[in-house]
Amino acid sequence: MTQLSRLAEENVQRWLSDPSIDEETKQELQGLQEQTQELEDRFYKDLEFGTGGLRGVIGAGSNRMNRYTVGKATQGFARYILEQHGQAEGTPSVVIAHDSRHFSPEFALEAALVLAGNGITAKLFPSLRSTPQLSFSVRHLGATGGIVVTASHNPPEYNGYKVYNAEGGQLVPDQAEKVIGYIQEVDSFASVKRLEQSEAEAKGMLVWLGEADDEAFTDTVAGTSVNRELIASKLGKDFNIVYTPLHGTGNIPVRSVLDKVGFTNVHVVAEQEQPDAEFSTVKSPNPEEREAFTLAMKLGKEVGADILVGTDPDCDRMGAVVLNDAGEYEVLSGNQSGAIMIHYLLSQLKEQGKLPDNGAVIKTIVTSEMGAAIAQHYGAEVFNTLTGFKYIGEKMTEFEQTRKYTYLFGYEESYGYLAGSYARDKDAVLASLLICEAGAYYKAQGKTLYNVLQELYEQFGFFREKLESRTLKGKDGLAQIQAKMTDWRENPPQTVAGASVAEVLDYSKGLNGLPQENVLKYMLEDGSWFCLRPSGTEPKIKVYFAVRGSSLNDAEERIQKLAAEVMARVDA
């Protein structure tokens, strides 16, 4: 039988002997004494607090999501909040939201009680709320920070914990490093300060948020509509929408915003309407995957829907499905949806005389250049950031402070979008509204969004993108991912798919003023590129591809050839 590593053995014994850890947890661990591989994975390290916070499998152990790892992380975050609040008047506060996952309410309450124990007012939503609403509420309520308990679209056994700064954005690396340092100084679970719920409520350190906070969010999102009167007077009645929240937090806010703007023909996938921590109707609650829309497509055909819209469990990612020329439903990629929304938004602002001279669009380094070409056509400046909406949010705050640029739109290829400066994280509520509004507007002109996309290809170029990923779990998987990145970094290819490698961009060195990150991007002489990046939230290595062809068929052939050659080496 495989033996535990020394570190794992020490961590197991530390947990079993710690008087602050409850007996039920200890019994769970004692029941695993013969399962050394499982114990090794649970204890070979502490669950890492990355720039996005915590994310991991739920269960007992230092490398798992549980009330103890959440409490320890919150103790470190509390110290950061107190440091940020400084000598400002009043008590610092943190807004907390959670999604529909297993133990999300319990983890959110635990975080609130630890904050209260540290003299920080916790403002907690009593039931599930979306991540973008958390970002908005931090700003709207003037809080010092925020926490959302979610694992986004990860499998059901996962949960996570993301922290936000006073601007409503996820912590960027220099901020996260401070929190990580404070967490590492928490030497035992007994040193985590915590109030009981009754005491926290009695002292006013635990405040429950409610309907007024919900209304403020949905009213603000509805206010981003650029054709609200037109939608309300006619177009909203004629546009047929099928929506699925995929068992997550989007059901109420998405429907509320669509209704406020004037979309009255909305059908919700009944089987996926209610919160379900097991996400029992899908393999993965991810609107990036066609399978997640199986039930929506069935309903769409029954009701003759013009568009199908789906949001992930914490409602920060939106996927759209549109009718193609053959009358079949086709899933739009994140890049395609982004291009359509940029075109619609900027063209309408221009038509209405509201497009600023200093407008800016922000995208990530792995996002298609098609959206950039469209934005530049309308006179907007385009900025690139590392992957992660926190970097887009950071840029937004910079624009707000310097007033050099006016933020118009930000997006990632991974289905994250934001128009409007009310939040600092991607918002699938807003994206659902904007893609439906675009669909209704163009339907009145006799076009589907698929038709609009083909027109954009004809005007701006036949762009094609692809994403491949490989899941490599556990300690061994992490080592394999690191080895693959090292191999590509030390042995870069000279040619790929018949094209010479013109430039290798190694972002671990901090290129173009961006923070250092373990990402490699290979620029080919024909304008194509591919990029290798370990996921920050899942045990995966992701490989992004992009080409620009002379036609859609040419682009498709080129990207398939490029992806096949690169992935053959990745898999070797």
Side-chain angles (χ1 to χ4, degrees), residues 254-502:
V254 170
R255 294 169 68 180
S256 175
V257 167
L258 290 175
D259 181 67
K260 284 177 186 287
V261 173
F263 288 102
T264 56
N265 200 0
V266 180
H267 309 268
V268 180
V269 178
E271 299 94 328
Q272 297 171 333
E273 181 178 357
Q274 297 304 316
D276 175 6
E278 285 297 315
F279 310 111
S280 52
T281 64
V282 291
K283 291 180 182 176
S284 171
N286 187 353
E288 296 179 64
E289 298 179 12
R290 182 181 178 86
E291 184 272 335
F293 284 100
T294 300
L295 291 173
M297 288 179 182
K298 180 174 180 286
L299 179 59
K301 289 177 180 178
E302 291 173 2
V303 302
D306 296 303
I307 194 170
L308 318 177
V309 175
T311 55
D312 71 341
D314 66 325
C315 199
D316 64 353
R317 298 173 191 248
M318 182 281 299
V321 183
V322 299
L323 289 167
N324 62 21
D325 289 341
E328 296 298 321
Y329 285 121
E330 188 160 319
V331 180
L332 296 178
S333 72
N335 287 310
Q336 291 171 329
S337 292
I340 290 169
M341 286 189 277
I342 290 172
H343 171 66
Y344 171 71
L345 178 65
L346 272 58
S347 66
Q348 293 307 294
L349 291 175
K350 182 178 180 180
E351 191 174 304
Q352 297 167 15
K354 297 177 181 177
L355 188 63
D357 294 334
N358 65 343
V361 168
I362 311 172
K363 69 178 193 66
T364 68
I365 59 172
V366 296
T367 298
S368 171
E369 293 302 318
M370 185 174 181
I374 296 169
Q376 289 161 351
H377 171 76
Y378 288 104
E381 192 82 16
V382 177
F383 294 84
N384 285 288
T385 71
L386 294 176
T387 304
F389 217 91
K390 56 183 172 285
Y391 297 116
I392 295 176
E394 183 183 34
K395 206 74 181 168
M396 290 173 66
T397 297
E398 176 192 316
F399 294 163
E400 192 171 73
Q401 292 170 347
T402 65
R403 300 183 182 274
K404 189 175 180 180
Y405 295 98
T406 300
Y407 172 80
L408 298 173
F409 191 77
Y411 77 119
E412 300 179 294
E413 56 77 36
S414 55
Y415 290 59
Y417 318 94
L418 180 67
S421 57
Y422 58 87
R424 290 293 184 272
D425 211 340
K426 51 189 178 286
D427 185 359
V429 183
L430 172 279
S432 298
L433 168 64
L434 195 57
I435 199 77
C436 288
E437 190 170 305
Y441 177 82
Y442 292 117
K443 182 182 179 181
Q445 300 176 10
K447 301 176 184 177
T448 66
L449 288 183
Y450 182 83
N451 298 148
V452 173
L453 182 61
Q454 305 314 304
E455 291 177 357
L456 293 176
Y457 283 138
E458 292 286 349
Q459 182 176 358
F460 296 101
F462 297 96
F463 292 84
R464 184 75 171 90
E465 299 80 31
K466 186 179 179 66
L467 170 65
E468 294 275 3
S469 64
R470 297 292 184 265
T471 300
L472 298 163
K473 294 183 178 181
K475 186 178 180 180
D476 291 341
L478 180 62
Q480 289 180 55
I481 290 171
Q482 291 172 342
K484 290 178 189 294
M485 291 299 294
T486 299
D487 176 51
W488 280 87
R489 182 170 281 118
E490 294 179 352
N491 303 291
Q494 300 302 306
T495 61
V496 182
S500 297
V501 175

Side-chain angles (χ1 to χ4, degrees), residues 481-555:
I481 290 171
Q482 291 172 342
K484 290 178 189 294
M485 291 299 294
T486 299
D487 176 51
W488 280 87
R489 182 170 281 118
E490 294 179 352
N491 303 291
Q494 300 302 306
T495 61
V496 182
S500 297
V501 175
E503 188 178 12
V504 179
L505 302 176
D506 186 349
Y507 288 91
S508 68
K509 299 175 181 178
L511 297 180
N512 304 321
L514 300 176
Q516 295 179 355
E517 189 159 294
N518 186 18
V519 176
L520 292 167
K521 189 173 184 179
Y522 298 84
M523 313 297 294
L524 307 186
E525 62 176 355
D526 63 359
S528 305
W529 58 262
F530 66 95
C531 182
L532 285 81
R533 171 183 165 265
S535 171
T537 57
E538 301 171 272
K540 290 181 178 181
I541 183 168
K542 294 187 172 184
V543 189
Y544 305 81
F545 305 91
V547 302
R548 184 177 181 179
S550 58
S551 67
L552 282 179
N553 285 339
D554 176 54

